Amino acid sequence: MEKKTLFDKIWDAHVVRSVPSGPDVFFIDKHFIHEVTSPVAFLNLEKRGVGVMYPARTIATPDHNVPTVDQDKTIKDKLSRMQVEKLRENCHKYGIELHDLGSDHHGIVHVIGPELGVTQPGMTIVCGDSHTSTHGAFGAIAFGIGTSEVEMVLATQCIMQSKAKKMRITVDGQLGNGVTSKDIILYIISKISAAGATGYFVEYAGSAIQSLSMEARMTICNMSIEMGARGGLIAPDETTFNYLKGKQYAPKGEAWDKAVAYWKTLKTDEGAVFDKEYHFDGNDIEPMITYGTNPGMGIKVKDRIPTTEGMEGSNKTTYLKSLDYMGFEPGEPIKGKKVDYVFVGSCTNGRIEDIRAVANFVKGKHKADNITAWIVPGSREVEKQAHEEGLVKILEDAGFELRQPGCSACLAMNDDKIPAGKYAVSTSNRNFEGRQGPGARTMLASPLTVAAVAVTGEIVDPREVF
C-alpha cells in the first residue's frame, strides 16, 4: 500500500474530480464567513440567481471591523455598520447560522469554530481569511480563500484547488520556562523566513508539539501562513479528543465513538515521504520577539538586532528600510527599548489560556505608566470565563483595559489603532507597516512577553521578571 501523509489522507478523501493537468474539484466540509469578504460573494450569487447549496455547512460571525466597546449600540463607522447589516441580511435570507454581536457565541471566527466543536479532525475548512489555518491544529485541512472562492463554496460546496506540496516541521525536546507556542512558531519563521514554506502545506510534529494544549497548537497553525504556507496541521490525539468531547457540535454517544475511531487513523504513515523536512531542537527556543516589518524578522529577546553583514543589493536596502520604519539600528540590543502599547488578543492569542497567562503574570503588579494595555478576548465565551475565573479583576487592578470580542488592533479595521510612531508589543500575527494603524510600529511576541513588557514598560525577557 502507498504510504500517505496526514495531508494526503484528508485531501484524497475530499477530491470530487481531478481535472487532467489542472486543479482538483475539492469538497469543503465547513465554511466560515464574516462581514468583510462575504458581501460581494452573496451579491454575485444574487446576480446569477444561484442559491447556497448547503446552508448548514456555513457558519457566520462579524469580527474583523466590529467595535470592541459599546457593542450593544449602533456601530458608528458607516462601512462597518453596512457590512455587519449585510451579513445579517444574507444569513437570514439563506438560512445560515449567525453568531451575531451580543450573542452567547459571538467572537473571532477562528476562535468560535473550535469552541463550538464545529472544527473537527479530518475536515476540510475554508474561510475568506488567511488565518483559517488555525483549524489545522485539529488535524484538518484548513486554508484561507478569496471572495470569488467564497462565492464558489456557497454555490457548490466545492472549490477548484491544486494540491500543495508537503512539508514536515519536527520540533523535539523540552521547552524551557517562559517558552510558549508563540515562541516556537516565531522561532521557526525566523529560521526559514517569511517565504520559506511558500507552496507547501505543513505538518507539525515532534515531542515539543505533542506536549502542547489545543489552544497552543492553534497558535502554531494560525501563523503557518506567515512563512508562506498554504496551511498547517497537527495529527489529532487524546489532547484533541478531550478538547472536543461534549462540545455543542461534537458527535455524541455512539457517533462519538465512531468518530474517534476514524480520527485515530488520521496520522502520517511510517515511511511516508514529504517534499521537504525541517528539524528543530526545542531546547534552543527561548522567548522571541520581532524587530522588523515581517514575521520572519524575529530574534530571541536577549539577542541583538542582526547587522547587515553578508547582505547585498536589494536585500540590504529592504532590510535597512524596515529598520528605519521601526526606528531601530543594526546590531543594537532590542532589550530595554521603550514601548507605548501592549495588545493581547486576536485569533492567534486571544483564548482563555492566553488571558490566564497574562493575569497570572501581572497579579499583584501594575502596568508601567508609559503603557496603554488592551486585552481583547477572542469570543464572548472567553470573556465570560475570564470574568468567572476572576481574571478580569486581576487585569483591571493591574491597569489593563478589557474590551469586547473582535479582531481589534490585530488589523486596525476598527477604532482600535496604535498611533503613528508608537511602539506596540502584540500577541497578534502580523507586523507589516501600518498593520495596527498608519505608522504604527509592531513587535510580535507571546502573551508572557507582552505581560512582562506591560509591567516594565520596555522590552524585557519575561524570565527575568518572573
Side-chain angles (χ1 to χ4, degrees), residues 275-353:
D275 296 291
K276 198 164 192 176
E277 294 217 41
Y278 287 99
H279 294 82
F280 297 107
D281 181 1
N283 298 291
D284 185 51
I285 303 173
E286 298 184 36
M288 298 285 294
I289 194 164
T290 60
Y291 60 87
T293 53
N294 74 61
M297 300 176 76
I299 54 174
K300 296 175 182 179
V301 176
K302 69 176 188 180
D303 288 347
R304 291 175 174 268
I305 295 169
T307 66
T308 58
E309 185 178 351
M311 296 183 190
E312 295 180 356
S314 61
N315 287 339
K316 183 176 180 179
T317 301
T318 301
Y319 181 75
L320 291 174
K321 179 177 179 291
S322 177
L323 291 193
D324 181 64
Y325 178 85
M326 293 298 295
F328 295 155
E329 294 291 334
E332 68 176 350
I334 198 163
K335 274 178 63 177
K337 293 286 185 184
K338 290 293 183 182
V339 175
D340 305 292
Y341 285 76
V342 297
F343 170 64
V344 178
S346 83
C347 59
T348 313
N349 284 117
R351 298 178 177 82
I352 191 63
E353 285 184 8

Side-chain angles (χ1 to χ4, degrees), residues 190-254:
S190 75
K191 293 295 185 183
I192 73 172
S193 87
T198 301
Y200 291 89
F201 221 95
V202 179
E203 178 178 345
Y204 300 96
S207 60
I209 302 296
Q210 292 166 351
S211 71
L212 299 173
S213 69
M214 282 312 303
E215 298 198 354
R217 294 178 189 187
M218 284 185 248
T219 297
I220 298 273
C221 290
N222 172 276
M223 290 192 69
S224 301
I225 189 70
E226 306 310 335
M227 53 188 174
R230 196 73 182 91
L233 74 171
I234 297 169
D237 56 16
E238 291 300 323
T239 301
T240 318
F241 311 150
N242 291 336
Y243 178 93
L244 285 170
K245 193 172 179 63
K247 295 212 178 282
Q248 183 175 332
Y249 285 94
K252 307 291 190 298
E254 289 183 12

Side-chain angles (χ1 to χ4, degrees), residues 84 142 196 232 241 254 259 267 272 358 434:
V84 172
F241 311 150
E254 289 183 12
K267 55 188 176 183
V358 174

